[in-house]
Amino acid sequence: MKLQVLVACEYSGRVRDAFAARGWDAWSCDLLETETPGNHYHGNVEDIICDDWNLMICHPPCTHLAVSGARHFAEKIASGEQQAALDFVRYLLDAPINHIALENPVSIISTKIRKASQYVQPWQFGHGETKKTGFWLKNLPLLEPTNIVEGREAKVHKMSPGPNRWKERSRTYEGIALAMAAQWGSYVEKLNGV
């Protein structure tokens, strides 16, 4: 039996590919085309969410949610963009899928919906950088560090401005993607007798 994982709002394919390497039927989904060859639904994730998936890992856009952009919250609230972003997060967390991990930086999800289950840093997974990332988990264990390394450079936050800065900042670190596949993949496999 091949287990299925949906990686929502992922164009890089990093998490998808980590699960595919474990033998999962792994799919990414995004409004953007995938950067790497692999199973990818180019379109709205709402088109393919159903109870057929064993696991969903979500990376909803943080543009209207991250506290790093708090100075813009008044205009985001007035425009309705922030409420729409929160509604999308609720939709993902309430999906009819048994195991869900939703990833976002420090954001208003913790005050408007529920507190994050945990926060991790890239340096806990083999990357000498800082980028505090939260996980809101449903029926999944906390992600355990795999390779704590020296270095605490805020590389992502120091990126030069440019049209693709948001894309570069939104990629999941490979070490974290591999930990997701190894730990959450193994957990769901055991529950399903695989």
Side-chain angles (χ1 to χ4, degrees), residues 77-102:
I77 291 168
S79 70
E81 291 170 314
Q82 191 171 82
Q83 188 58 53
L86 285 166
D87 290 345
F88 183 56
V89 167
R90 282 187 189 92
Y91 171 79
L92 292 170
L93 289 172
D94 292 340
I97 299 169
N98 286 336
H99 306 282
I100 296 174
L102 186 134

Side-chain angles (χ1 to χ4, degrees), residues 124-192:
Q124 295 174 301
F125 301 89
H127 304 274
E129 301 174 29
T130 61
K131 183 185 178 194
K132 190 175 182 180
T133 302
F135 289 111
W136 288 259
L137 304 175
K138 174 185 169 185
N139 299 324
L140 287 170
L142 299 179
L143 204 59
E144 298 292 330
T146 57
N147 182 17
I148 295 175
V149 297
E150 295 300 317
R152 303 291 186 267
E153 184 183 357
K155 194 173 178 180
V156 167
H157 301 291
K158 293 178 182 176
M159 285 182 176
S160 301
N164 291 320
R165 183 175 191 248
W166 66 273
K167 283 180 82 172
E168 299 301 322
R169 291 178 60 149
S170 68
R171 281 190 187 88
T172 301
Y173 285 88
E174 187 176 1
I176 295 175
L178 292 171
M180 289 176 182
Q183 296 176 38
W184 293 337
S186 175
Y187 179 80
V188 175
E189 287 164 11
K190 285 177 187 168
L191 289 177
N192 286 275

